[in-house]
C-alpha cells in the first residue's frame, strides 16, 4: 500500500526518513519537533545548526542519529491565519519538497506527521486533506511507501455528519441481518423438522456426477482474469488502476502474472473500488478471490455504504474505516 495512514509516535517509525514539522530556525521547538530532537540526541541539533535555517514551505535533510530512521527531513509548515494567506500552497510545497528530498536520497519509505496541524494551528481535517492529496499526486509518478502518522485521534476524524450517516447505515444493516422475523423463524423450524436425514448428513454423490477432470476444465474466470478484463473495459491502464487502488506495482505484477493468484480481501476490494464497480460486480470479484461481503461485519458494511453512495475514493473510505477502528483497504 503506497500511502498508509497509521497511528503512532513518529519517532518510533522504522522507515528510511521521517519528516519533522520544524520552524524556520531549524533549532528545535515543541510538538513533534521536540519529540524528534529528544529521541535523536544532541547530534541532531549540532547538524541543524550548520544548515542556516529554512524558508516556510521548504525542507532540509539531516541524518537520523539515535532514531531508527536514516534521515530526518525538516519541513517548515505555514502558520494558519485565516486560509487566505497562501497557507495551502505553502503546505503543499512542504510535502512536495520533502518527498523530492527523500527521493534524491533514495528513500523507499517515508513517514510524515500532519505538518502545521498542531502549534501552527492549521485545521486538522484540512491539513490531512492537503497531505493525502499531495502525497497521492507524487505517488502517481514515483514508487515509494509513504506513511501519514497520526498522533492524536482527533486529527483523523471524518465529519460528524458522515460518521453518523455511516453509523446509522451500520445499525440498519446489522438490524436487517440479525433480526429474524417471526415468519422466518417459523419457516426455519419447519424446514428443520421436515429435512430428510440425508440432507443433514450430506447427500451421497450422484452416480452420474461428472468426472473431476470435467469439472475442473470448466473452471470460471479467475480473479486475476476478471481484474484485467475490467481494467480493459474501463479503458484504464494497469498503472492507473493499481495506483488508484493504492496497491504497489510489485503486488500488481504478481497478480497479473499468476492467473490463480489469491489476493487478500482488502486487496480485492481495493481493486473493485478503483474500478468503481457497482455492488453486484464487487461481490462477484470478491467471490472470485474466495470472499464475500457480509452484513455481520462493520468493515463490509462500511464498504457497502460507500459503494451504494457512489463514493470510490480509497482514501476517504480508509478515513471512515479508521474512524470505526477497522483495518484499511489495500495490500
Ligand atoms: N508523532 C507524530 N505526530 C506528532 C507527535 C509525534 N511524536 N507529536 C506531535 N505530533 P506540531 P506544527 C502531531 O505542533 O503545527 C514546533 O515548536 C501533532 O498532534 O508538532 O507544524 C516547531 O518548532 C500535530 O498533529 O507542529 C514549530 O515552531 C502534528 O504533529 C511549530 O511547533 C504537528 O504539530 C510547528 O508547528
Amino acid at each position: 500500500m503506497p500511502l498508509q495512514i497509521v497511528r503512532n509516535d513518529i519517532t518510533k517509525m522504522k522507515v528510511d526518513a521521517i519528516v519533522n514539522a520544524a520552524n524556520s530556525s531549524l533549532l528545535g521547538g515543541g510538538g513533534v519537533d521536540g519529540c524528534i530532537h529528544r529521541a535523536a540526541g544532541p547530534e541532531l541539533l549540532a547538524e541543524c545548526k550548520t544548515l542556516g535555517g529554512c524558508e516556510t514551505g521548504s525542507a532540509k535533510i539531516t541524518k537520523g542519529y539515535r532514531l531508527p530512521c536514516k534521515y530526518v527531513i525538516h519541513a517548515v509548515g505555514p502558520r494558519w491565519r485565516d486560509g487566505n494567506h497562501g497557507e495551502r500552497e505553502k503546505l503543499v510545497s512542504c510535502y512536495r519538497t520533502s518527498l523530492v528530498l527523500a527521493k534524491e536520497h533514495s528513500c523507499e519509505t517515508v513517514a510524515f506527521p500532519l505538518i502545521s496541524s498542531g502549534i501552527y494551528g492549521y485545521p486538522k481535517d484540512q491539513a490531512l486533506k492537503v497531505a493525502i492529496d499531495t502525497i497521492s499526486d507524487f505517488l502517481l509518478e514515483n514508487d515509494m511507501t509513504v506513511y501519514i502518522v497520526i498522533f492524536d485521534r482527533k486529527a483523523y476524524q471524518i465529519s460528524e455528519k458522515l460518521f453518523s450517516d455511516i453509523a446509522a447505515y451500520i445499525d440498519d444493516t446489522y438490524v436487517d441481518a440479525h433480526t429474524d422475523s417471526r415468519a422466518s423463524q417459523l419457516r426455519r423450524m419447519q424446514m428443520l423438522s421436515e429435512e430428510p436425514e440425508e440432507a443433514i448428513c450430506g447427500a451421497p454423490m450422484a452416480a452420474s456426477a461428472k468426472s473431476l477432470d470435467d469439472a475442473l476444465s470448466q473452471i470460471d474466470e479467475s480473479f486475476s482474469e476478471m481484474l484485467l478484463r475490467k481494467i480493459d473495459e474501463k479503458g484504464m491502464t494497469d498503472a492507473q488502476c493499481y495506483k488508484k487502488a493504492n496497491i504497489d506495482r510489485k503486488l500488481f505484477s504478481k497478480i497479473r502474472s499468476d492467473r490463480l493468484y489469491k489476493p487478500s480481501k482488502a486487496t480485492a476490494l481495493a481493486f473493485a473500488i478503483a474500478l468503481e464497480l457497482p455492488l453486484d460486480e464487487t461481490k462477484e470479484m470478491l467471490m472470485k478471490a474466495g470472499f464475500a461481503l457480509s452484513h455481520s461485519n462493520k468493515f463490509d458494511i462500511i464498504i457497502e455504504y460507500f459503494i451504494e453512495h457512489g463514493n470510490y475514493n480509497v482514501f476517504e473510505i480508509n478515513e471512515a474505516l479508521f474512524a470505526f477502528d477497522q483495518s484499511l483497504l489495500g495490500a
Side-chain angles (χ1 to χ4, degrees):
M1 215 162 128
L3 173 56
Q4 296 191 38
I5 301 178
V6 295
R7 244 172 113 204
N8 203 347
D9 171 349
I10 203 161
T11 62
K12 306 277 188 295
M13 295 292 292
K14 293 192 179 74
V15 284
D16 294 330
I18 63 169
V19 176
N20 180 16
N23 60 59
S24 53
S25 75
L26 298 188
L27 300 179
V32 72
D33 197 4
C35 295
I36 290 176
H37 274 275
R38 275 192 298 279
E43 297 91 339
L44 179 63
L45 181 60
E47 186 177 353
C48 283
K49 283 183 177 159
T50 68
L51 298 176
C54 179
E55 277 173 28
T56 302
S58 193
K60 293 198 176 168
I61 192 163
T62 63
K63 287 187 263 176
Y65 300 99
R66 299 178 202 175
L67 287 161
C69 56
K70 271 189 250 162
Y71 301 105
V72 179
I73 297 172
H74 306 264
V76 184
R79 273 176 207 278
W80 177 263
R81 289 166 71 182
D82 54 7
N84 297 318
H85 288 79
E87 291 93 332
R88 187 177 190 282
E89 291 70 24
K90 287 189 189 116
L91 191 54
V92 166
S93 163
C94 267
Y95 282 99
R96 285 230 181 91
T97 319
S98 304
L99 289 163
V100 169
L101 267 178
K103 186 179 171 187
E104 283 168 5
H105 287 75
S106 310
C107 297
E108 292 178 355
T109 48
V110 180
F112 281 90
L114 266 192
I115 301 172
S116 284
S117 73
I119 294 166
Y120 279 179
Y122 209 106
K124 289 192 193 272
D125 54 335
Q126 295 184 46
L128 177 63
K129 184 150 177 27
V130 172
I132 291 176
D133 291 350
T134 315
I135 296 168
S136 36
D137 262 8
F138 177 85
L139 292 176
L140 289 177
E141 310 291 332
N142 297 279
D143 280 333
M144 205 184 260
T145 298
V146 180
Y147 299 89
I148 298 178
V149 182
I150 305 288
F151 199 48
D152 54 323
R153 188 154 196 86
K154 270 194 230 118
Y156 197 29
Q157 261 179 6
I158 51 176
S159 75
E160 264 172 44
K161 160 107 179 66
L162 181 58
F163 190 92
S164 60
D165 282 357
I166 297 175
Y169 191 82
I170 292 174
D171 274 358
D172 290 351
T173 338
Y174 256 141
V175 169
D176 282 352
H178 292 95
T179 319
D180 233 1
S181 70
R182 178 102 189 103
S184 64
Q185 277 174 16
L186 277 172
R187 208 166 40 243
R188 244 170 348 133
M189 281 167 67
Q190 247 170 357
M191 271 169 60
L192 272 176
S193 61
E194 285 165 8
E195 224 145 14
E197 212 177 315
E198 63 191 19
I200 296 169
C201 307
M205 246 207 184
S208 62
K210 287 188 241 155
S211 77
L212 188 57
D213 275 353
D214 282 349
L216 287 174
S217 70
Q218 287 167 19
I219 201 159
D220 273 352
E221 179 187 48
S222 68
F223 170 82
S224 157
E225 287 164 341
M226 179 172 178
L227 172 64
L228 299 177
R229 172 171 65 82
K230 284 283 165 200
I231 291 177
D232 289 344
E233 281 174 16
K234 298 272 168 181
M236 289 173 104
T237 62
D238 290 354
Q240 279 169 338
C241 179
Y242 68 73
K243 286 190 165 158
K244 188 162 171 218
N246 196 26
I247 299 286
D248 71 57
R249 185 174 42 83
K250 287 184 215 124
L251 176 59
F252 181 81
S253 355
K254 248 194 241 167
I255 299 176
R256 202 191 159 95
S257 57
D258 176 0
R259 71 171 283 278
L260 295 179
Y261 186 89
K262 284 267 176 277
S264 69
K265 182 169 175 181
T267 299
L269 269 174
F271 279 118
I273 299 290
L275 288 162
E276 304 194 359
L277 299 184
L279 200 54
D280 54 340
E281 291 182 27
T282 300
K283 287 181 176 164
E284 188 189 343
M285 188 169 232
L286 273 180
M287 216 159 66
K288 292 187 183 293
F291 303 107
L293 279 184
S294 139
H295 281 177
S296 308
N297 170 337
K298 270 193 198 170
F299 175 92
D300 291 8
I301 298 173
I302 293 171
I303 298 292
E304 197 177 295
Y305 171 91
F306 277 88
I307 296 177
E308 295 274 38
H309 287 76
N311 182 344
Y312 290 97
N313 184 323
V314 170
F315 299 110
E316 282 179 28
I317 298 175
N318 276 344
E319 280 179 43
L321 289 169
F322 189 90
F324 284 89
D325 282 325
Q326 300 300 304
S327 57
L328 305 188
L329 277 183

